[in-house]
């Protein structure tokens, strides 16, 4: 569905942000793209959406070249940027103007979602809060039913109940033919939502695996001592000793902690890559 083969990109030819990047993402999954601020997440998403152009390599999204921005590409890919701008029109007028660009747009689904998200229908879009604007655009994107949905920091500006509603709506929107990619540095917002993770650091992909594979290779839990435990990749003090990520040598089932996984990858990238490549 999304294929990057030996892709290089930079805002100048002298300083490349990505070099020889290869990444394959398949439909039927909700991917979480994690990384620190400045790691290159937004640039990567904009390349996928055809808003930035690679210097070298090949990119296909849904069988199309994003940079050409052809109509059959645009009607099946929806991108929500971190910073959003909505026109000074009502919701009904917005639907009238933009819904026809998406052949599979489901207005009934959209109306249900904005009711679920408590978005007022009478006001102009410029008169609602930033959080409500974000929720409106998320509802519109889900109702567009594109094969590819890309979201950059979609939970910024959402309160805690809205984040829960977001996870519920996104998880229910996935099917075997759809790919959803969510980029965020607010790692906990993706708990119980994604089924595969991509971790980006210094414009390199340090980890790209399903959560099932992660829990096969790593264990998340509490340890009383960590100093002499060679299995430990990351730990932090807790009231029960230490919360830790360690090699799952005994094949113990555990519940993944995305924040701890991210910290483990940042702290021990070479060990993580060796563990997952063996």
């Amino acid at each position: 569905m999304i294929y990057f083969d030996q892709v290089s990109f930079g805002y100048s030819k002298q300083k490349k942000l990505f070099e020889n990047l290869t990444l394959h993402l398949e439909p039927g999954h909700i991917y979480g793209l994690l990384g620190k601020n400045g790691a290159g997440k937004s640039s990567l998403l904009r390349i996928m959406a055809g808003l930035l152009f690679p210097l070298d390599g090949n990119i296909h999204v849904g069988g199309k070249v994003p940079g050409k921005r052809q109509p059959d590409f645009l009607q099946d890919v929806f991108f929500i940027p971190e910073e959003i701008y909505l026109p000074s029109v009502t919701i009904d007028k917005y639907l009238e103007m933009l819904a026809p660009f998406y052949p599979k747009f489901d207005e009934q689904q959209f109306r249900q979602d904005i009711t679920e998200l408590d978005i007022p229908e009478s006001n102009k879009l410029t008169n609602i809060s930033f959080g409500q604007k974000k929720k409106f655009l998320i509802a519109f994107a889900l109702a567009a039913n594109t094969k590819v949905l890309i979201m950059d920091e979609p939970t910024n500006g959402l309160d805690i109940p809205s984040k829960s509603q977001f996870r519920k709506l996104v998880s229910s929107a996935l099917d075997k033919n759809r790919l959803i990619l969510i980029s965020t540095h607010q790692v906990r917002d993706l708990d119980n939502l994604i089924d595969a993770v991509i971790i980006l650091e210094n414009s390199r992909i340090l980890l790209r695996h399903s959560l099932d594979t992660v829990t096969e290779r790593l264990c998340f839990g509490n340890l009383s001592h960590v100093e002499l435990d060679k299995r430990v990749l990351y730990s932090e003090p807790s009231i029960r000793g230490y919360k830790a990520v360690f090699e799952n040598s005994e094949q113990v089932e555990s519940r993944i902690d995305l924040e701890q996984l991210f910290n483990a990858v940042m702290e021990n990238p070479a060990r993580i890559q060796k563990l997952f490549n063996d």
Side-chain angles (χ1 to χ4, degrees):
M1 181 70 79
I2 296 180
Y3 297 96
F4 277 51
D5 290 305
Q6 300 295 306
V7 170
S8 297
F9 168 80
Y11 291 98
S12 71
K13 291 185 178 180
Q14 290 72 32
K15 187 176 181 180
K16 292 183 179 179
L17 183 59
F18 301 110
E19 193 159 11
N20 300 322
L21 177 69
T22 295
L23 177 66
H24 297 169
L25 305 180
E26 300 297 336
H29 297 284
I30 301 176
Y31 292 91
L33 176 61
L34 310 181
K36 297 177 183 177
N37 288 340
K41 302 188 303 299
S42 293
S43 296
L44 187 62
L45 299 187
R46 289 180 177 276
I47 293 170
M48 293 177 183
L51 299 172
L52 294 175
F53 309 99
L55 299 173
D56 297 293
N58 297 307
I59 304 173
H60 291 90
V61 176
K64 309 294 190 305
V65 178
K68 293 184 177 180
R69 303 280 290 173
Q70 295 171 318
D72 55 351
F73 167 81
L74 296 173
Q75 70 184 20
D76 242 342
V77 175
F78 201 106
F79 172 57
I80 300 179
E82 181 177 3
E83 298 296 331
I84 61 171
Y85 302 94
L86 296 175
S88 182
V89 297
T90 63
I91 286 177
D92 286 344
K93 186 64 176 178
Y94 190 94
L95 293 188
E96 180 186 331
M97 292 189 302
L98 294 180
F101 288 102
Y102 301 96
K104 292 176 284 189
F105 188 86
D106 186 334
E107 183 171 346
Q108 182 179 356
Q109 175 189 343
F110 171 76
R111 299 289 181 185
Q112 290 173 347
D113 287 353
I114 63 171
T115 299
E116 173 81 17
L117 293 168
D118 300 318
I119 301 170
E121 294 195 47
S122 56
N123 293 345
K124 287 187 175 181
L125 293 173
T126 47
N127 294 336
I128 61 179
S129 70
F130 177 75
Q132 288 175 325
K133 290 175 183 176
K134 262 288 176 72
K135 291 191 289 185
F136 164 80
L137 196 54
I138 289 166
F140 186 91
L142 292 172
N145 287 299
T146 54
K147 290 182 180 178
V148 177
L149 173 55
I150 301 169
M151 295 184 268
D152 192 2
E153 303 288 354
T155 57
N156 278 3
L158 301 190
D159 56 22
I160 293 174
S162 297
K163 290 180 180 182
S164 178
Q165 292 169 328
F166 166 79
R167 287 191 290 268
K168 175 184 173 183
L169 293 177
V170 172
S171 61
S172 65
L174 183 67
D175 62 45
K176 65 179 182 179
N177 298 312
R178 195 174 202 183
L179 185 157
I180 299 175
L181 174 60
I182 305 168
S183 171
T184 185
H185 66 274
Q186 301 184 46
V187 179
R188 293 200 180 278
D189 289 349
L190 300 185
D191 278 342
N192 303 313
L193 176 59
I194 65 172
D195 63 357
V197 63
I198 307 161
I199 296 182
L200 193 67
E201 173 65 4
N202 293 327
S203 305
R204 294 187 303 121
I205 294 173
L206 300 183
L207 183 74
R208 196 215 75 72
H209 283 284
S210 70
L211 296 193
D212 286 343
T213 300
V214 171
T215 53
E216 285 176 8
R217 308 288 175 89
L218 300 175
C219 191
F220 301 78
N222 294 290
L223 296 174
S224 55
H225 301 283
V226 296
E227 293 84 355
L228 301 177
D229 194 329
K230 295 181 180 180
R231 301 174 301 160
V232 174
L233 294 121
Y234 173 79
S235 66
E236 57 186 56
S238 74
I239 58 174
R240 297 180 180 177
Y242 294 88
K243 292 175 66 177
V245 181
F246 46 97
E247 295 180 19
N248 196 8
S249 55
E250 299 178 2
Q251 293 299 292
V252 176
E253 289 189 10
S254 63
R255 183 179 180 275
I256 192 169
D257 184 312
L258 286 175
E259 186 173 300
Q260 284 194 308
L261 172 63
F262 180 78
N263 289 333
V265 173
M266 293 296 104
E267 193 161 299
N268 278 294
R271 276 186 67 189
I272 287 283
Q273 289 186 307
K274 183 177 186 303
L275 186 63
F276 281 86
N277 290 336
D278 286 348

